[in-house]
Amino acid sequence: MSSCASSSTAASWFSTQLSKSENAEVKRSYLRWYAEDTGASYSDEDPLFVHAVAGSCEGWTLHELLWRTRIVAMDGRTLWECLDARMVAGRVHDVVDPWNEQLSVKLAFYFIQEQQHDGSSPKSSWSALRRALDEYATATIKPRDSLTVAASSSALSVVRDAGRHRGSTMTDAWSSKVSFIPMELGNDYSEGALCCAAPVPSGGMLLQVPRSEMFCLHSALQFCALGRAIVAEPSLRDLLANEEAMLLLCLVYERFVVGAERSHWRRLLMHCPPQYPTMPIAWELSDLMELDGLDMLDDVLAKRNQLQVFADQIRTSLLPFFHRALLSQDSATAETSSLVDMSAAFAYEHLVWAQCTFDSRAFNLNVDGAVVMALVPLADMVNHSNRTDVLVRKVEPSGGPFTMVVGAALTAADVGRELWMSYGPLQNWELLQHYGFVLGPDNVHDKLPFPFAVPSEANEPQGKSDATSMISLSPNQEGTVSYWDARRLSLMRRYGLDLPGRCWIGHDGVPPAALLALLRLQFAQADEFGVMEGRRYGPFEPLSPLTESAITSVVKSTVQCVLESFPTTLAEDEEMLAELRAEKNVGLGADDESTRNHALCVQLRVGLKRIASRTLEWCARHS
């Protein structure tokens, strides 16, 4: 087959992947503008200029492949952070963030595999590119050899596996490639981990778990007596529409009525922690006060209230129906469980345990076309790092197993070390709220919220042309508030500035170009709107010194207000953090639950305040 055919196949692959990606039309707009800037040949069939690669002397290189996959892999949040006049020409030609890079490498693997199977070009060229990608994955996304729990989470925040004995590992029949570190008996902070037991080639299978061993709604309705009883009882069937409620009910039933040893999901339940003392939903109110000044406090309190209401509903309304339905199922478990025993099993504290289990250990998986929440025994013991060993986790089709696939190869040198998986581009507050730990005060995914109200109209679905066209305005609207708001809204939509519906400043403290563009729309003088509307990159380019000064001033005052919302200063928190680190055994060995939770909150606050401090330094340089 000719090189022209090979180029067309590659262009078609990239066009399809781009169309399936988030905010595809916004990405296409910036690619078109880049083509107009550089004279590159853009078409809807080849939006990523693949034909230009085929026509070049070098052909496909790792650099040419990765900048394209980075664009495709961007979600709305990452895209908003990268929006700029030089996004295509510059920003995506380097690592955007660890999560986007992992997705980009995964797409690159898929692309090379597709081209190798296509057979339209020499396999040797793709093999060389694959070797280069393997080496790159090892250097860029694979956890470093020295990475440990303490290194990834800091001595104060290693609360998932604090104090565990790493010399004790166990193997499992499901995989010869992994061993696992079980929970340490009597240590409420231990959740175990996965370790490398044998080399695995790049893109190789690490672990497979039979689908029947997964705890999801389908298996709960099949193997859990309570699930079967709810299906059989007409008065309870409305519960089936609430996946999360059903999973909580069935998990509590299996753990506290059936018992872990007798449950179908014995392997899962035997390795679940007995409690989750570092997850805020389980904290005492006095510990929650340490979250004052953070939006997550409202989320935690709302979730606690929701669980309390659910517990009351179970106790006052649902339990008699559950008990009667179970008895009618002729279940041995139901026959030996009195209504009093079941009432004790469905206590509020047990619902909190089940909620924490799902929050911290569940996967969202595509199972035969449907996205489901599932607990996967053994696999759910893998811990989080911004670098990853596990690149793919999926459920094979047609009744197939859950599968974990590595990215970079695991070699003999990796045998015995802990394996890691990135849970996503999670900020410390997300890690704390849902998993009960933080990555120290310098998590690269942390963001400082910037309270700028994006008009609600900006997030309304628009037609395809709205990404590049301007809103038509009547001349008699000029001078009215709605007239200027409409022009702002038109520019916001044109450049995708409204993508996330909220604003923030990234870990480096530099306000994103999209945030500055939004502020230009807000503070532009009347005659500057025409300037922005007449330029290719509109609000991304500076306006008058007066307007730019106003923008810097607003960034400064807003960040100062955010800092003032905290009950402590950065200096006070850093002093407190130093004192906590100086105390013997804090973090890894302390038994004081409040001290641990306090340390987590201090690190969370320090991380956000350091971003704010860097932003104020940026403001000083631009004043």
Side-chain angles (χ1 to χ4, degrees):
M1 190 177 293
S2 68
S3 60
C4 181
S6 173
S7 174
S8 297
T9 301
S12 176
W13 187 90
F14 267 106
S15 179
T16 300
Q17 297 301 317
L18 181 64
S19 295
K20 292 191 299 185
S21 71
E22 288 188 32
N23 306 112
E25 285 306 313
V26 174
K27 295 174 183 177
R28 285 179 180 270
S29 295
Y30 281 82
L31 289 164
R32 278 192 291 268
W33 294 330
Y34 168 78
E36 293 170 5
D37 286 341
T38 62
S41 178
Y42 174 92
S43 70
D44 288 341
E45 293 74 27
D46 184 19
L48 284 156
F49 320 110
V50 171
H51 288 305
V53 177
S56 68
C57 297
E58 291 186 346
W60 281 106
T61 63
L62 195 58
H63 175 265
E64 292 290 349
L65 177 57
L66 285 175
W67 78 255
R68 290 168 168 84
T69 57
R70 287 181 188 122
I71 291 178
V72 173
M74 285 180 179
D75 58 15
R77 183 165 60 174
T78 305
L79 178 58
W80 185 82
E81 288 184 347
C82 292
L83 291 179
D84 195 0
R86 286 189 48 78
M87 180 179 75
V88 179
R91 184 68 182 90
V92 296
H93 290 260
D94 199 358
V95 175
V96 174
D97 63 49
W99 178 249
N100 176 263
E101 199 65 5
Q102 292 168 37
L103 298 180
S104 303
V105 167
K106 180 164 64 174
L107 274 173
F109 275 128
Y110 290 156
F111 173 73
I112 293 173
Q113 289 173 0
E114 186 78 14
Q115 301 310 303
Q116 287 176 322
H117 293 156
D118 177 64
S120 57
S121 58
K123 288 187 177 181
S124 59
S125 61
W126 294 116
S127 297
L129 188 59
R130 173 59 188 264
R131 287 193 297 273
L133 182 60
D134 289 344
E135 293 173 1
Y136 181 82
T138 297
T140 308
I141 69 171
K142 183 179 180 180
R144 297 182 179 90
D145 292 341
S146 60
L147 180 63
T148 64
V149 177
S152 70
S153 304
S154 93
L156 286 172
S157 59
V158 185
V159 293
R160 303 191 65 191
D161 304 290
R164 69 185 179 209
H165 178 51
R166 290 185 168 273
S168 173
T169 61
M170 302 175 66
T171 57
D172 192 281
W174 286 337
S175 176
S176 61
K177 308 298 184 183
V178 299
S179 58
F180 64 94
I181 302 172
M183 295 179 297
E184 182 183 348
L185 292 177
N187 184 352
D188 292 338
Y189 298 92
S190 172
E191 295 189 30
L194 293 186
C195 288
C196 178
V200 181
S202 65
M205 190 272 290
L206 178 68
L207 169 69
Q208 285 193 321
V209 177
R211 189 182 292 200
S212 61
E213 297 289 336
M214 293 166 48
F215 188 93
C216 58
L217 184 57
H218 180 268
S219 63
L221 299 183
Q222 183 178 4
F223 299 112
C224 176
L226 179 59
R228 295 194 300 269
I230 290 173
V231 171
E233 174 55 50
S235 63
L236 294 174
R237 287 177 187 165
D238 286 348
L239 286 170
L240 297 174
N242 190 330
E243 179 190 28
E244 184 175 5
M246 281 294 301
L247 290 172
L248 290 179
L249 289 169
C250 291
L251 188 64
V252 169
Y253 182 82
E254 290 295 317
R255 172 65 178 81
F256 298 102
V257 177
V258 177
E261 287 283 359
R262 299 169 55 202
S263 173
H264 171 81
W265 294 277
R266 179 182 180 278
R267 281 184 172 180
L268 172 70
L269 295 173
M270 292 297 290
H271 295 295
C272 283
Q275 56 182 316
Y276 297 86
T278 61
M279 294 190 66
I281 195 174
W283 288 4
E284 298 292 335
L285 288 176
S286 57
D287 288 349
L288 286 175
M289 293 305 296
E290 292 290 340
L291 298 174
D292 187 24
L294 298 168
D295 291 340
M296 68 173 286
L297 177 58
D298 293 335
D299 295 338
V300 171
L301 293 175
K303 176 63 78 171
R304 286 163 63 103
N305 181 67
Q306 180 183 348
L307 279 176
Q308 186 62 66
V309 170
F310 190 34
D312 293 342
Q313 181 186 14
I314 293 171
R315 186 181 67 256
T316 59
S317 305
L318 294 176
L319 268 181
F321 290 97
F322 290 166
H323 192 250
R324 185 173 65 246
L326 284 163
L327 288 173
S328 68
Q329 292 295 303
D330 193 27
S331 164
T333 301
E335 290 174 357
T336 57
S337 299
S338 68
L339 190 57
V340 172
D341 289 339
M342 286 191 63
S343 180
F346 283 92
Y348 169 76
E349 293 76 13
H350 294 168
L351 286 172
V352 170
W353 172 86
Q355 184 69 61
C356 289
T357 298
F358 274 102
D359 283 349
S360 65
R361 302 173 82 88
F363 295 88
N364 286 317
L365 299 169
N366 187 321
V367 180
D368 298 331
V371 177
V372 303
M373 185 187 303
L375 294 169
V376 184
L378 192 60
D380 65 1
M381 296 176 70
V382 66
N383 288 316
H384 169 76
S385 167
N386 282 335
R387 284 178 168 239
T388 191
D389 291 300
V390 178
L391 193 61
V392 178
R393 63 259 200 188
K394 61 181 179 179
V395 177
E396 304 291 353
S398 304
F402 169 89
T403 302
M404 274 184 166
V405 176
V406 301
L410 298 175
T411 68
D414 294 305
V415 174
R417 76 161 174 86
E418 181 166 352
L419 296 172
W420 303 86
M421 181 181 76
S422 175
Y423 298 169
L426 301 178
Q427 303 173 64
N428 270 344
W429 74 263
E430 294 171 298
L431 291 171
L432 179 57
Q433 180 173 338
H434 300 296
Y435 300 96
F437 69 97
V438 300
L439 292 182
D442 288 303
N443 179 0
V444 69
H445 289 300
D446 269 353
K447 307 177 193 305
L448 182 72
F450 190 91
F452 180 86
V454 178
S456 58
E457 297 88 345
N459 295 313
E460 294 177 358
Q462 301 297 319
K464 181 176 180 179
S465 63
D466 288 317
T468 56
S469 64
M470 307 296 286
I471 294 176
S472 176
L473 301 171
S474 303
N476 61 7
Q477 289 180 300
E478 187 168 359
T480 66
V481 173
S482 60
Y483 171 78
W484 297 110
D485 285 345
R487 293 179 76 174
R488 290 187 181 98
L489 186 59
S490 179
L491 284 163
M492 286 173 60
R493 289 174 176 167
R494 175 177 173 83
Y495 296 102
L497 301 179
D498 55 313
L499 288 180
R502 54 192 173 85
C503 301
W504 62 83
I505 296 173
H507 181 260
D508 62 3
V510 177
L515 173 59
L516 297 178
L518 281 169
L519 293 174
R520 288 189 184 102
L521 295 181
Q522 186 69 24
F523 293 99
Q525 304 298 308
D527 59 348
E528 291 178 320
F529 274 85
V531 174
M532 290 188 290
E533 290 163 344
R535 299 187 303 203
R536 178 169 292 152
Y537 294 105
F540 284 110
E541 299 178 44
L543 297 174
S544 66
L546 180 64
T547 301
E548 294 301 307
S549 176
I551 291 169
T552 302
S553 177
V554 166
V555 171
K556 178 180 178 180
S557 61
T558 302
V559 170
Q560 287 174 332
C561 285
V562 171
L563 284 174
E564 290 169 2
S565 69
F566 290 100
T568 55
T569 66
L570 174 59
E572 290 170 339
D573 279 342
E574 288 188 324
E575 181 180 356
M576 196 178 306
L577 191 58
E579 291 175 357
L580 289 168
R581 283 175 169 161
E583 293 179 10
K584 185 178 180 180
N585 292 328
V586 166
L588 286 177
D591 295 324
D592 187 342
E593 184 174 312
S594 292
T595 299
R596 288 177 179 272
N597 296 341
H598 177 54
L600 289 167
C601 294
V602 172
Q603 290 180 94
L604 181 56
R605 295 199 302 261
V606 166
L608 293 175
K609 292 173 185 178
R610 285 179 179 174
I611 296 175
S613 178
R614 290 190 285 270
T615 303
L616 293 177
E617 291 174 0
W618 177 91
C619 291
R621 293 194 301 270
H622 289 78
S623 295

